[in-house]
Amino acid sequence: MLNNRYGYFDSAQHNAFVIQTPQTPMPWINILTNGDYGMTVSQAGGGYSWRTHASLNRITRWEQDLIRDEWGKFFYLRDSHSGAFWSPTWQPCGRLLSDVRITHGLGFTRFESRYADLHMRLECFVPLDAPCELWRLSLHNQGRTVRQLAVFSYLEWLLGVAPDWHREFHRTFIETAYHPASGTILASKRLWELPAATHWNRDWEYVAFHSATPLPTHFETDKRAFLGRHGSLAAPQALRSGQLSGGQGKWGDPIGALQVEVSVPPDEMRTVVFCIGAADSREQAVQISQRFKSLEAVEAAYQDVTAHWQGLVGRLHVQTPDPAVNVMANTWLSYQAVAGRLYGRTAYYQTGGAYGYRDQLQDSLIWLLLGLPDKTLDQIKLHAAHQLQDGTVLHWWHPLAETGQPSEYSDDLLWLPFVVIRYLWETADYAALQLALPFWDGGSASLEEHCLRAFRIALARRSPRGLPLILKADWNDGMNAVGAQGRGESTWMAHFLYQLLCDWAALPTTDAETRANFLTEAAALREAVNRYAWDGAWYWRATTDAGRLIGAQSCAEGRLFLNANTWAILSGTATPERAAQVMRAIREQLYTPYGALLLSPAYTQPDSEIGYLTRYAPGIRENGGVYCHAACWAVLAERLHNGVESAYQLWRSFAPPVRAAADAETWSGEPYVMPGNISGPAAPRPGQAGWTWYTGSAAWALRA
C-alpha cells in the first residue's frame, strides 16, 4: 500500500512501514517508549536511549550525524569456524545482506535479513512497565550443517547530560562491574551535571545495566579493548580475535559488550535476548535482567506492547477512499504525537527532552480525538503549574531539573486557555475550572483563575493602536527581534486573542462581568486589526519596534505571511469580502505542489530588525519553506472558506505517504510521519522534508 522505491505500508501489520533497503535518503527512524524509558532506532540500526529526559538523562552515547548514522547499540555475529563476522543491521559493518526487510511498527522495530544460509530476525521494543529495552535476535539455520556462532553486543555508556562533549573528563566518573550470576554489566556514574543542581557535585541517580540470555560467556566494558587502538566499529579487534577480554572497573572509556555462544542445528532456530536499561538501584537492575531471562516473559512483554499501541491508536477510526488519509489518521499521526512529542519529546533532527509551554499543550489535543480527555487535563494541570502568579509562564522547562526559561514570547501564556476551552467543549467538565493548581513561584489558584491571569496579561500588552505587542516573538520564534524593545505589533496575535476572548465569553460558566468585558475587548481588537493591519489585499504580519511593516505589499522579501491571513478566517476577524481576498492571495503566492509556504518571497539577507528567521538559508524552514504546523492551519482555513474538497487537496499536497510515493528521493524523510518543514522553491531541493517526528504538526495534521 502506498509503495515508494524504498518500501510500503503493510496493512496486515496495522499499517507498519516496511523498508526494503537500509540505504534510504535520510535516516528513517522509529521512537519506542513507555512514557518514561525510550529509544530511537533507525533503519540502519543507529539510535540512542534515555530515561525521563532524552538530553539530561541519556543512557547511551550518540552523535547527531544524519549522513553517516553510525552511532547506536550494535550487534555482531561471528562464525566460530571461519572467523567471518557481520551484523544483522546495516550498521556497523556496512555489509549488504539479502532478503532485507526493516519494519517500523507501533511500539517495535524489526530487522530481517539473510546471510548465506542463516536467516536473522532482530526485534527491539520497550516494555510497558520496565525502564529498559529488549533486543530479541532469532537465528534460523536453513543450511545443512550446524552453525557455531558467537553473538556480540556493543554500546557506549553516557549516563547523564548529553552530549558528553568532554569525554576524557566524563569517563573518569563512570564505573562498570560485571554481575556473573545474572550475566549483567552494571554501570554507574559519580557525577550528574543537572542544571540548577549542586554544581557538578552529585551522583547520577540510576544504575545502567546490560544483560543477555543465554548467559554470556565473556564480557567487556572498555572501548579500547573492544575496538583496538585505531580500531573501527566495522571491524573491531574483539571480532577479529573472537573473544572479549573481561575488563571492568574505572578509568577506561566505558562500554557494554557481551558475548553469547550459540549452536544452531540445521532447520532449527535459536534466540538470544539482550536487555539494556537504567534502574533506580543495583538491585532493581539485576531484578529486571532476571525478569527477562525467560523467552516467554520477553514474548509476553512484546505482545503487551503491540496490543497497547494498537488499542490506543485504534480508539479513532477513519475510513475514506484515500489510503493516505486512512493510514495517517488511523495509525501514524496519533503514534507520532504520543510517542514522539508527548512521551519522548525527542528524535533525530532535534534531541530534546524538555517541555515547551505551547508545544505539548497543543499536542495534548490528540487525547481528545482518541477519547481520553483525562490525559489532556493532566497536561493542562502540568502546564498551569509552570505559570507564575503574575500570569506569565515558562517558555520551556526541564523535567528532572525543574528549571526553565521565563517566556518573553507574546503567545505562550494564551495556549493554556486555548486548550482548556477545547477540553471543555469536548467534555463539559466545567468543574475542572475550579481545580486548585499551584503557580511556579508559589501559591495556588483555580484553573479558571490561571486562565484569566493569562488573559489579563495579554490584554495589557497592547500598542497605542490597540494591537497586541509581539515582544521577543509570537508563535514564530524566529521573529525574535521584531518587538524586542516592547513596541512591535503582531497581527497574528490579534486574530488569536480575538478568537480566545469570544470563545471564553461563550462558556456557560463565565460570569456576566467577564463576558461583557471580553466581548468589548474582542470587538476592539477586531476593529483595530481591520483598521490598521489591512494592507489592501491581505493582512500584514507585524510591525517592528521602529514601526516598519513586515509581511506587507511594500516589502521586497517576506511580502506575504501565511498565519496572519489564515487566522483572520479561523478567528472570524475578517469580513467575508476580505476573507475571499486573503484566500486568493495565499493560494496564488503561497501554495505549492508540496504545501503552503509560511512566507514568500524568502529572505536572502539577514535582517537584524526581524530576527533569526531571516538567517536561515532561503527556502529552509520558516524562511520561505512549508512549515507544516502552519500549513495544517491553512487546511482548516480552506475548510471554513472554500469547503472540504479544497481542504482535502491542500492536506494531501504535503501528506508524507503521497509525497514519498511521488518522489521518495526528493522527499527524503520518512513516509509515515509528519515533518516539521518542507523546503520551499528558493531551496536547492524544493519539496524535501526536514525535522521529522519531533514536530507539533502531527497532532494538527490529524485534527485537520
Side-chain angles (χ1 to χ4, degrees):
M1 183 170 65
L2 294 163
N3 294 19
N4 63 61
R5 64 180 294 186
Y6 296 103
Y8 58 89
F9 290 92
D10 187 345
S11 56
Q13 295 189 73
H14 297 274
N15 296 333
F17 194 84
V18 178
I19 303 169
Q20 295 169 294
T21 171
Q23 295 175 305
T24 52
M26 292 294 283
W28 288 6
I29 77 164
N30 202 356
I31 294 179
L32 313 175
T33 176
N34 57 23
D36 180 35
Y37 189 94
M39 60 181 287
T40 61
V41 59
S42 79
Q43 89 296 337
Y48 58 90
S49 305
W50 70 89
R51 183 169 175 190
T52 308
H53 194 301
S55 294
L56 297 186
N57 203 21
R58 184 83 58 83
I59 309 304
T60 60
R61 296 186 78 204
W62 182 80
E63 181 178 322
Q64 190 183 49
D65 186 337
L66 275 66
I67 305 304
R68 293 183 298 174
D69 188 20
E70 61 182 9
W71 286 74
K73 296 148 286 182
F74 297 128
F75 303 91
Y76 303 83
L77 288 92
R78 186 179 189 277
D79 188 292
S80 300
H81 295 307
S82 69
F85 59 87
W86 64 94
S87 293
T89 56
W90 170 250
Q91 295 287 19
C93 291
R95 184 168 295 166
L96 282 174
L97 305 171
S98 58
D99 300 338
V100 171
R101 282 169 52 98
I102 304 144
T103 304
H104 286 318
L106 302 178
F108 74 93
T109 287
R110 180 186 305 124
F111 301 87
E112 296 173 278
S113 59
R114 179 187 301 276
Y115 180 79
D117 55 9
L118 185 71
H119 181 267
M120 300 167 287
R121 185 179 67 200
L122 175 65
E123 295 171 312
C124 55
F125 63 95
V126 173
L128 296 178
D129 60 349
C132 68
E133 63 198 76
L134 296 172
W135 294 78
R136 177 168 56 178
L137 176 63
S138 299
L139 305 171
H140 184 196
N141 183 0
Q142 297 177 331
R144 297 181 178 179
T145 59
V146 176
R147 298 296 301 271
Q148 299 291 345
L149 302 168
V151 182
F152 294 78
S153 62
Y154 177 87
L155 60 89
E156 295 189 30
W157 297 119
L158 187 145
L159 313 184
V161 177
D164 57 346
W165 57 270
H166 193 340
R167 181 65 170 179
E168 284 302 302
F169 173 75
H170 284 281
R171 71 179 181 83
T172 61
F173 298 94
I174 298 177
E175 182 173 1
T176 57
Y178 187 65
H179 188 267
S182 64
T184 304
I185 293 173
L186 303 170
S188 57
K189 189 176 183 182
R190 301 178 180 184
L191 178 72
W192 194 9
E193 62 276 33
L194 207 60
T198 303
H199 185 62
W200 288 13
N201 189 27
R202 64 178 294 176
D203 292 338
W204 185 61
E205 296 174 359
Y206 306 87
V207 175
F209 60 94
H210 177 33
S211 62
T213 186
L215 200 68
T217 56
H218 300 86
F219 67 92
E220 181 58 69
T221 68
D222 181 68
K223 183 176 181 178
R224 179 167 178 161
F226 186 91
L227 294 181
R229 176 72 174 140
H230 298 300
S232 73
L233 282 172
Q237 177 177 293
L239 269 294
R240 296 197 303 271
S241 69
Q243 185 169 308
L244 301 180
S245 73
Q248 59 181 308
K250 311 179 185 69
W251 319 124
D253 197 336
I255 66 165
L258 297 171
Q259 179 178 345
V260 176
E261 302 292 332
V262 183
S263 178
V264 191
D267 202 30
E268 291 192 22
M269 183 182 292
R270 295 292 183 268
T271 299
V272 180
V273 176
F274 294 95
C275 182
I276 303 165
D280 296 330
S281 65
R282 182 187 179 98
E283 292 72 27
Q284 187 190 45
V286 173
Q287 180 185 30
I288 294 171
S289 296
Q290 293 292 86
R291 172 185 169 185
F292 293 114
K293 288 291 182 183
S294 157
L295 296 183
E296 291 77 14
V298 172
E299 175 63 17
Y302 173 78
Q303 293 296 333
D304 287 346
V305 166
T306 56
H308 166 78
W309 286 108
Q310 290 164 15
L312 181 66
V313 304
R315 297 178 66 88
L316 174 68
H317 183 70
V318 172
Q319 186 64 40
T320 77
D322 186 346
V325 174
N326 299 341
V327 75
M328 296 304 284
N330 289 324
T331 307
W332 283 100
L333 291 175
S334 295
Y335 184 75
Q336 179 183 0
V338 175
R341 285 283 291 188
L342 288 164
Y343 286 177
R345 304 182 303 284
T346 193
Y348 253 39
Y349 291 84
Q350 182 176 359
T351 58
Y355 283 101
Y357 196 88
R358 65 163 87 100
D359 300 276
Q360 276 70 39
L361 270 172
Q362 292 175 76
D363 297 330
S364 74
L365 293 173
I366 200 84
W367 297 121
L368 301 181
L369 294 174
L370 296 175
L372 295 167
D374 286 353
K375 291 184 177 293
T376 302
L377 183 58
D378 288 342
Q379 200 72 41
I380 287 169
K381 293 175 183 176
L382 179 65
H383 288 247
H386 291 83
Q387 181 188 44
L388 284 71
Q389 294 183 52
D390 65 1
T392 61
V393 301
L394 299 182
H395 183 56
W396 52 259
W397 74 90
H398 291 298
L400 293 180
E402 280 303 310
T403 58
Q405 175 66 47
S407 175
E408 297 181 275
Y409 298 80
S410 55
D411 69 308
D412 279 341
L413 72 180
L414 288 177
W415 290 103
L416 181 65
F418 181 92
V419 174
V420 167
I421 288 166
R422 279 145 187 80
Y423 169 79
L424 296 175
W425 286 349
E426 186 73 17
T427 65
D429 177 22
Y430 296 105
L433 289 172
Q434 302 311 313
L435 290 171
L437 301 174
F439 289 105
W440 174 252
D441 54 349
S444 66
S446 67
L447 175 58
E448 181 177 41
E449 179 61 21
H450 277 265
C451 292
L452 291 174
R453 292 190 190 190
F455 276 119
R456 291 176 195 132
I457 291 289
L459 287 169
R461 293 170 168 172
R462 283 187 287 181
S463 72
R465 300 196 293 187
L467 292 171
L469 299 174
I470 191 170
L471 306 180
K472 288 289 182 69
D474 52 21
W475 170 88
N476 194 329
D477 291 1
M479 299 177 69
N480 61 327
V482 173
Q485 297 173 27
R487 296 189 299 275
E489 301 164 314
S490 168
T491 299
W492 174 79
M493 268 291 292
H495 302 316
F496 185 48
L497 180 54
Y498 170 84
Q499 183 195 63
L500 288 175
L501 290 168
C502 293
D503 290 343
W504 193 272
L507 294 176
T509 50
T510 301
D511 63 85
E513 182 180 355
T514 300
R515 180 178 296 112
N517 179 49
F518 277 19
L519 291 176
T520 298
E521 295 286 11
L525 271 173
R526 188 170 189 264
E527 195 277 333
V529 77
N530 279 289
R531 172 183 293 185
Y532 299 114
W534 180 249
D535 198 44
W538 59 77
Y539 293 92
W540 47 253
R541 177 64 172 88
T543 62
T544 67
D545 286 318
R548 172 186 159 200
L549 289 179
I550 306 297
Q553 294 186 71
S554 59
C555 300
E557 297 179 337
R559 186 168 55 248
L560 175 59
F561 279 69
L562 187 64
N563 286 353
N565 291 285
T566 54
W567 273 82
I569 295 166
L570 293 174
S571 66
T573 53
T575 63
E577 295 76 18
R578 287 186 175 180
Q581 288 180 272
V582 159
M583 289 307 300
R584 183 162 54 249
I586 64 175
R587 281 183 162 200
E588 291 174 354
Q589 299 185 48
L590 298 182
Y591 284 16
T592 72
Y594 42 83
L597 302 175
L598 187 64
L599 63 88
S600 182
Y603 292 95
T604 59
Q605 297 295 324
D607 189 322
S608 60
E609 284 191 287
I610 295 176
Y612 76 79
L613 177 154
T614 65
R615 298 180 183 276
Y616 285 116
I620 301 299
R621 291 180 58 78
E622 293 104 313
N623 187 16
V626 175
Y627 208 73
C628 295
H629 192 148
C632 292
W633 289 341
V635 173
L636 298 176
E638 281 283 356
R639 174 66 186 91
L640 281 177
H641 192 265
N642 292 315
V644 67
E645 183 64 26
S646 297
Y648 163 64
Q649 292 299 338
L650 179 58
W651 187 92
R652 201 172 192 275
S653 71
F654 62 101
V658 178
R659 301 311 311 163
D663 186 353
E665 197 67 38
T666 294
W667 178 254
S668 296
E670 296 96 333
Y672 44 91
V673 292
M674 288 298 297
N677 56 280
I678 303 164
S679 296
R685 294 182 66 182
Q688 182 179 26
W691 287 51
T692 60
W693 275 98
Y694 191 39
T695 165
S697 64
W700 277 109
L702 181 57
R703 184 159 288 273

